[in-house]
Amino acid sequence: MSKIRKSVFELEEYIPGEQPNDDAIKLNTNENPYLPSPEVLDILREIDISDLSLYPDPNCLELRKVIADLHQCSIDQIFVGNGSDEILALAIRAYVERDSKVGYLAPSYSLYSVLTEIEDIEHEVVFLDDGFNFKIPENLDSSLFLLANPNAPTGIFMDVESINCFADNYKGVLLIDEAYVDFAEDNCLDLAFKHSNVIITRSLSKSYSLAGIRCGYCVGSADLINALYKIKDSYNVNYITQELARVALLDQATMRANVEAIKETRNLVFEKLTDLGYEVYESQTNFLWFKPLGIKAAKLFELLKERNIYIRYFSASSRTDDYLRVTIGTASEMFTFLDALDEIINSES
Ligand SMILES: *Cc1c(COP(=O)(O)O)cnc(C)c1O
């Protein structure tokens, strides 16, 4: 008999995008190609080494004050995690009974199903239609629904009013994962204040160019937030991360400028891919979801990789295996990507 718990032994773990360590063009994990706020470097240089021998603030008070100020709410409505991924895992543990279910869309962020399986909890899957859209599901019996908006890997934004109705009809906790929301035209923050069953998560990994420090936070009613504090690791967010995240969030201008640059490049790449006859989805994120024409997605993925350009291919489901996802890098990286596409198309035909 296995020494490993059954749900873990049988688990198909989450596989993050590859991190090639040479000079590859990396357009596969939705990282931001631009530098974070210059304040981050300043504070990093000023960190007193003797502070590292002490445990960090378990409650992230200074950081939460900055976030509460940013969103005009009280610090009891804010939880900070070691990346928003940690918050997703804690939410399942805090809000879902063993014999209940976790709901999510498919396709969506594939970590949702993995986290659910780790906890040995049942899934309630809501499938998107052929255009990757969904109607508000009714009569769900899960106690937690994980909803990425904008969705990943499609980049599609669902309008706030529809999600407002979803929250009204849903009996459980609706967690709106806004990892990409700074690239979108709108957001669901107000729903977290309006509905006692809504929590929204944000991340510093994408728009703030800080995937390496692991910081995410969520906003919701004090009750929901307090439950997360009860079960988290005592020191879940390290001292350096708390310091760097604080100054990065105070500098909204740098984040906004980087986001604008990425959106401009995104529009240009959207046009180019559309001109090739590819089916490209309107994105409100820092990536594009597309179906190539005249070449299989899997093949195009491999041929780009041979040219040291990494994008993302989701082979696991028949719903996604004709599509590819490309992160928007710098304009220069994207020209290299587009040139490689041209070259591949010409050599294939
Ligand atoms: C990147 C991503 C996250 C993870 O964010 P971290 O803060 O880096 O943990 C969460 N949800 C979605 C949909 C993502 O794409």
Side-chain angles (χ1 to χ4, degrees), residues 139-156:
N139 306 321
L140 293 176
D141 64 0
S142 47
S143 347
L144 172 66
F145 200 96
L146 303 170
L147 182 75
N149 195 38
N151 196 16
T154 63
I156 296 172

Side-chain angles (χ1 to χ4, degrees), residues 29-30 82-86 88 109 112 148 150 152 177 179-180 202-206 211 214-216 287 325:
T29 50
N30 298 340
N82 181 29
S84 53
D85 284 350
E86 185 198 20
L88 301 173
Y109 187 29
Y112 301 154
D177 178 345
Y180 298 102
R202 296 269 174 104
S203 171
L204 275 74
S205 300
K206 278 77 187 225
R214 310 303 304 126
C215 187
F287 58 82
R325 188 193 74 188

Side-chain angles (χ1 to χ4, degrees), residues 126-175:
V126 175
F127 291 95
L128 297 174
D129 68 16
D130 289 346
F132 299 105
N133 294 302
F134 83 111
K135 288 197 199 54
I136 303 162
E138 281 169 37
N139 306 321
L140 293 176
D141 64 0
S142 47
S143 347
L144 172 66
F145 200 96
L146 303 170
L147 182 75
N149 195 38
N151 196 16
T154 63
I156 296 172
F157 186 80
M158 298 158 232
D159 70 283
V160 176
E161 191 40 44
S162 301
I163 297 180
N164 185 36
C165 288
F166 190 171
D168 269 335
N169 295 327
Y170 188 59
K171 303 274 188 306
V173 175
L174 176 61
L175 183 150

Side-chain angles (χ1 to χ4, degrees), residues 19 85 104 120 155 158 160 173 183 212 219 233 280:
Q19 295 285 358
D85 284 350
Y104 51 85
D120 210 2
M158 298 158 232
V160 176
V173 175
F183 301 95
V219 183
D233 284 351
V280 195

